[in-house]
Amino acid sequence: MSADSQAEVDVWKHLADMVHEKHPNITVTFESTAFQSYYDKLNTQAASNSLPCIAGLQAQRVPDVGKLFKDLKPLYEKDTSFSLASYEESITKGLTQDGKQLAVPYDLGPYVLYYNKDMFDAAGIPAPKPGWTKDEFLAAAKALTNDGKYGYAADGTPDMWLPYVLSIGGDYLKDGEPDLTNDKVVEGFSFVTGLATDEKVAPVVPATGTANWPADQFRNGNAAMYIDGPWQLINAKKNVDFTLGLATVPAFDGKSVTTMSGTGFGVTAACEHPEEAWKAVSVIIGKDAQEYIANAGRGFPAYTEAQELWYSTASVDGAKEAIDAALETVDVYETAPKWNRLSALLQQYAVEAFSGSKSPRDVLTQVQQQVSQ
Amino acid sequence: MASTLSTDNNRRSSIKPTASSPTPRRRKSGDRAAVLGFLAPNLAGFLLFTLVPIGASLALSLYEWPLIGEATFSGFENFVRLFTKDPVFWEVVGNTFYFVVGYVVLNLIVSLSLAVWLTSRIRFAGLFRFAFFLPVVAPMVANAVVWRLLFTPDDGLIAWATRTFTGLEAPNWLGSSEWAMPAVIIMSVWAGFGYNMIIFVAAIESVPDSLYEAAAIDGAGWWRRLLGVTLPLISPSMFFATVMTVISSLQVFAQPYILTGGGPGSSTTTLVFYLYKQGFQGYEMGYASSIAWSLFVLIMGITFLQFRAQKRWVHYA
């Protein structure tokens, strides 16, 4: 499983202990790596036939590594205490491939807009509400931009701008392959890069090897808004000294569609003890564990009954309204194989679109050319 | 020279009695066992972790292997694709040469100048030597993170210094494809010159004072002594430093990986970074191996040329 902080590691270790308590004959050894290199590790372990029995799987990575996982259906059909219907449907669907249920989700998250409430208050403008429009967004971003601070931050990774493409009615996939050069995709991408080049409400993006640069800008107070998933809330709340708020991605012509992702646990195809592995998985994603995760504020639980608990733990302005609103129109984050490569290329090439030295269309064309060679 | 000769003589004279001793065979095979015994740990490691993987990667470069899944033999298809179809490979080769030339030239100029300065009669030479060598020991990751802050447009230290002292706007170092590579080179030179500097300091200090005295008596000034005495006498060290620096800079990886992520666009993607991306982001191990072997041949070729050219300028005393 991936973990980017000690807080996360502790959560996973606690879940492993919950398995030990319930099934003393099963031992779960927890291994983790930073999210950025998690799939490298998974692939390398698969190539050397040393995969653990249980592994985390993010919905976006299903096209790449789905084949490493077993279909869980035969395992959970025998298990009367388990019902897939207790989990948010959009994400259980996201974790299937060719009719196989590869993993059961523990969290899900529509990408939402994080905002720095203190900056809004200081600028004397009302905090954003779910459903706010593009024009309101632009006006707020302009009002927030001064004195070296910016209203918004984004970079070229697809998570940062696909919601804008979807909100204007675009589609970035065609027959399961990336289709980055159609007009709507270019329009959505140009809107986001234009925040830096034309509107000047977002900082120019540096070329960088770091993941989630916009989150850094937001957390250190350089930018008042950015988009991210609710799973970041625990890290964000701990690391910032201002009041956080959540809202939806601004609506275009009354429509705000966001992508969403989520992660689940599955049993790997080469596992020699699938029955035991399933027993462990059913505890890790079970009701108690989901309530524990909700209480710890880690990931927004996929187990619907545990979601209320998460909202009360998070106690972040507008979290419930934003996430509920986002979930109503959400699009499961569908991807193509080698999505991580596409994502890295976009981060790398988009720098020039944010600085204005290349047109957004040229950048998308270059990336498209490389992923389809 | 004299000392080298005498050790050669000693060796010869020590071999002769052994060869003519009554039990040459036993002694010889005993030696061999001992030699192999001492070499074994290193040799095993070399075989297991260097030679076998190198051989395997050569074989791999002829396969298409998506890491998870079957490897299929494809002959020279990977190389054909790399050289003729890959949209960025030649750009990446160009970037690598850009880095190598910029880095090696600047590195040698900086390290040589500082070495000359440090060996002149200055105070606190030891302290300076220590300070200049520090970046070599500091981990590249930490360096890159600090330099990223220095390179920040508008508020970064470099941007501030440029504005304050020249009145001009500093370039957007990491945001433009023209300036990203110079930024990577500047950081690399800062991080790496100390190593060559120490080599040059040692070489300059071993130049006999009598030569300088003789040159001074002949009326040679500081420049003349530098060009006529110091540089020719330390040319073997310069050759060594050049060869090693060229090889290591052809393999540059950490700087673009951490500082720029290879961007903007492909402007700072070097061969090894590209190899990494193909192997560990695209999971195309065969293709990545073919890049590795192209790089290997390139390094071999360049190093060969350097050895050929050394006759022209390297003087072994």
Side-chain angles (χ1 to χ4, degrees):
Chain A
M1 194 53 216
S2 69
D4 283 334
S5 66
Q6 189 56 41
E8 289 178 48
V9 170
D10 292 342
V11 168
W12 299 128
K13 286 205 168 136
H14 181 86
L15 292 185
D17 290 336
M18 287 174 87
V19 177
H20 301 152
E21 212 169 286
K22 196 159 182 200
H23 302 286
N25 56 332
I26 301 176
T27 309
V28 180
T29 318
F30 171 72
E31 263 183 79
S32 81
T33 152
F35 177 75
Q36 221 187 355
S37 55
Y38 173 72
Y39 289 92
D40 293 348
K41 181 164 177 172
L42 199 68
N43 274 288
T44 319
Q45 286 188 325
S48 60
N49 263 329
S50 55
L51 270 182
C53 264
I54 301 167
L57 174 64
Q58 194 192 22
Q60 280 122 287
R61 296 306 184 100
V62 166
D64 276 324
V65 295
K67 59 185 165 224
L68 300 179
F69 289 81
K70 252 191 198 3
D71 185 8
L72 295 177
K73 219 173 266 168
L75 293 166
Y76 68 66
E77 272 170 358
K78 287 183 271 179
D79 188 346
T80 49
S81 60
F82 176 84
S83 159
L84 196 65
S86 312
Y87 297 82
E88 193 83 37
E89 195 191 348
S90 49
I91 185 63
T92 51
K93 262 194 196 150
L95 289 166
T96 56
Q97 187 180 42
D98 308 326
K100 291 181 195 162
Q101 189 68 43
L102 303 174
V104 178
Y106 79 84
D107 86 336
L108 83 157
Y111 280 86
V112 286
L113 187 117
Y114 279 62
Y115 65 86
N116 179 330
K117 192 161 178 299
D118 296 358
M119 283 173 85
F120 275 81
D121 290 347
I125 44 175
K129 291 250 170 321
W132 69 328
T133 65
K134 176 187 103 178
D135 295 333
E136 289 169 317
F137 165 76
L138 280 176
K142 276 181 190 152
L144 291 160
T145 302
N146 57 43
D147 207 13
K149 310 279 184 211
Y150 290 93
Y152 193 74
D155 70 4
T157 39
D159 312 15
M160 290 289 148
W161 53 271
L162 285 184
Y164 296 91
V165 172
L166 296 171
S167 296
I168 59 172
D171 190 1
Y172 53 94
L173 289 180
K174 193 177 172 189
D175 306 323
E177 291 295 326
D179 180 25
L180 300 176
T181 48
N182 73 58
D183 290 344
K184 292 270 184 187
V185 173
V186 175
E187 192 188 329
F189 180 60
S190 306
F191 176 77
V192 178
T193 59
L195 295 174
T197 53
D198 303 333
E199 309 286 350
K200 313 266 186 216
V201 297
V204 169
V205 182
T208 169
T210 24
N212 222 343
W213 176 83
D216 294 341
Q217 300 306 306
F218 178 72
R219 288 177 194 176
N220 62 26
N222 276 345
M225 297 180 275
Y226 87 115
I227 57 173
D228 211 331
W231 54 84
Q232 285 289 357
L233 212 56
I234 182 178
N235 280 340
K237 243 187 122 179
K238 273 198 179 152
N239 293 324
V240 300
D241 51 9
F242 51 79
T243 316
L244 271 174
L246 296 190
T248 49
V249 177
F252 288 69
D253 290 330
K255 223 173 94 176
S256 164
V257 184
T258 191
T259 50
M260 74 111 158
S261 189
T263 306
F265 283 97
V267 177
T268 54
C271 180
E272 287 172 8
H273 308 284
E275 305 280 336
E276 286 79 5
W278 167 252
K279 272 188 191 162
V281 169
S282 68
V283 174
I284 293 170
I285 46 87
K287 183 169 183 284
D288 296 346
Q290 284 279 284
E291 281 173 358
Y292 167 75
I293 281 187
N295 258 327
R298 166 76 200 146
F300 179 64
Y303 191 79
T304 41
E305 278 178 31
Q307 289 172 358
E308 280 303 321
L309 204 55
W310 185 86
Y311 286 129
S312 63
T313 314
S315 76
V316 164
D317 277 2
K320 184 168 164 55
E321 295 77 13
I323 292 173
D324 282 351
L327 278 175
E328 268 171 40
T329 55
V330 79
D331 237 22
V332 176
Y333 194 164
E334 277 183 64
T335 59
K338 294 186 187 164
W339 192 256
N340 60 330
R341 196 164 159 243
L342 177 139
S343 185
L345 282 171
L346 277 166
Q347 185 187 12
Q348 203 179 318
Y349 277 78
V351 171
E352 288 179 290
F354 280 97
S355 72
S357 55
K358 272 217 174 90
S359 78
R361 184 180 287 278
D362 286 351
V363 163
L364 292 173
T365 309
Q366 279 183 314
V367 174
Q368 176 74 35
Q369 194 192 2
Q370 282 196 55
V371 290
S372 50
Q373 62 151 317
Chain B
M1 195 68 182
S3 64
T4 332
L5 267 179
S6 67
T7 36
D8 268 355
N9 285 341
N10 285 345
R11 209 176 284 153
R12 243 171 249 144
S13 56
S14 67
I15 286 167
K16 266 178 196 158
T18 325
S20 58
S21 63
T23 53
R25 271 205 183 153
R26 252 187 58 202
R27 282 287 290 275
K28 236 188 178 175
S29 64
D31 277 357
R32 188 179 293 157
V35 165
L36 281 178
F38 281 118
L39 280 178
N42 191 358
L43 204 61
F46 176 73
L47 274 177
L48 206 61
F49 297 113
T50 305
L51 211 56
V52 172
I54 286 177
S57 82
L58 181 60
L60 257 186
S61 69
L62 305 177
Y63 282 82
E64 204 191 310
W65 187 34
L67 198 56
I68 42 175
E70 287 299 303
T72 42
F73 185 75
S74 60
F76 290 103
E77 189 50 45
N78 282 331
F79 290 97
V80 173
R81 182 179 144 203
L82 190 62
F83 296 145
T84 62
K85 294 187 200 128
D86 194 312
V88 294
F89 175 71
W90 291 109
E91 191 191 337
V92 168
V93 173
N95 293 340
T96 311
F97 276 114
Y98 183 179
F99 178 83
V100 169
V101 172
Y103 174 74
V104 172
V105 170
L106 278 179
N107 181 315
L108 291 177
I109 291 176
V110 173
S111 57
L112 194 57
S113 321
L114 285 174
V116 169
W117 179 64
L118 282 176
T119 47
S120 62
R121 280 181 221 106
I122 54 158
R123 300 177 71 183
F124 308 119
L127 182 72
F128 282 122
R129 213 180 288 181
F130 167 74
F132 291 144
F133 193 70
L134 262 184
V136 179
V137 193
M140 191 53 91
V141 177
N143 294 344
V145 171
V146 173
W147 276 87
R148 192 192 301 145
L149 294 177
L150 295 180
F151 281 130
T152 309
D154 305 334
D155 321 320
L157 184 66
I158 296 177
W160 173 82
T162 317
R163 208 171 30 237
T164 312
F165 297 115
T166 67
L168 300 169
E169 272 308 303
N172 178 5
W173 290 97
L174 301 179
S176 78
S177 48
E178 290 83 32
W179 287 102
M181 188 55 102
V184 171
I185 292 174
I186 290 171
M187 185 203 99
S188 307
V189 169
W190 173 84
F193 77 85
Y195 183 77
N196 285 343
M197 183 194 75
I198 292 293
I199 293 177
F200 293 148
V201 165
I204 294 173
E205 281 178 346
S206 68
V207 176
D209 281 339
S210 54
L211 293 179
Y212 289 117
E213 281 160 21
I217 289 168
D218 286 346
W222 185 84
W223 267 112
R224 192 79 197 94
R225 290 201 296 270
L226 178 71
L227 297 177
V229 179
T230 315
L231 290 187
L233 281 171
I234 68 165
S235 60
S237 301
M238 286 170 66
F239 176 67
F240 170 78
T242 313
V243 171
M244 296 312 283
T245 312
V246 166
I247 292 178
S248 67
S249 57
L250 278 165
Q251 298 173 339
V252 60
F253 172 76
Q255 294 92 314
Y257 180 67
I258 300 154
L259 192 63
T260 61
S266 290
S267 58
T268 55
T269 303
T270 57
L271 271 167
V272 179
F273 183 64
Y274 191 56
L275 180 166
Y276 164 82
K277 284 186 27 144
Q278 296 298 332
F280 293 98
Q281 278 179 0
Y283 304 119
E284 294 185 76
M285 291 301 162
Y287 197 53
S289 297
S290 67
I291 300 172
W293 274 86
S294 309
L295 176 65
F296 176 70
V297 170
L298 188 71
I299 291 179
M300 282 267 287
I302 289 176
T303 310
F304 175 75
L305 287 179
Q306 285 180 291
F307 270 86
R308 283 290 296 269
Q310 69 165 320
K311 280 188 210 115
R312 293 169 187 270
W313 64 281
V314 183
H315 307 275
Y316 292 97

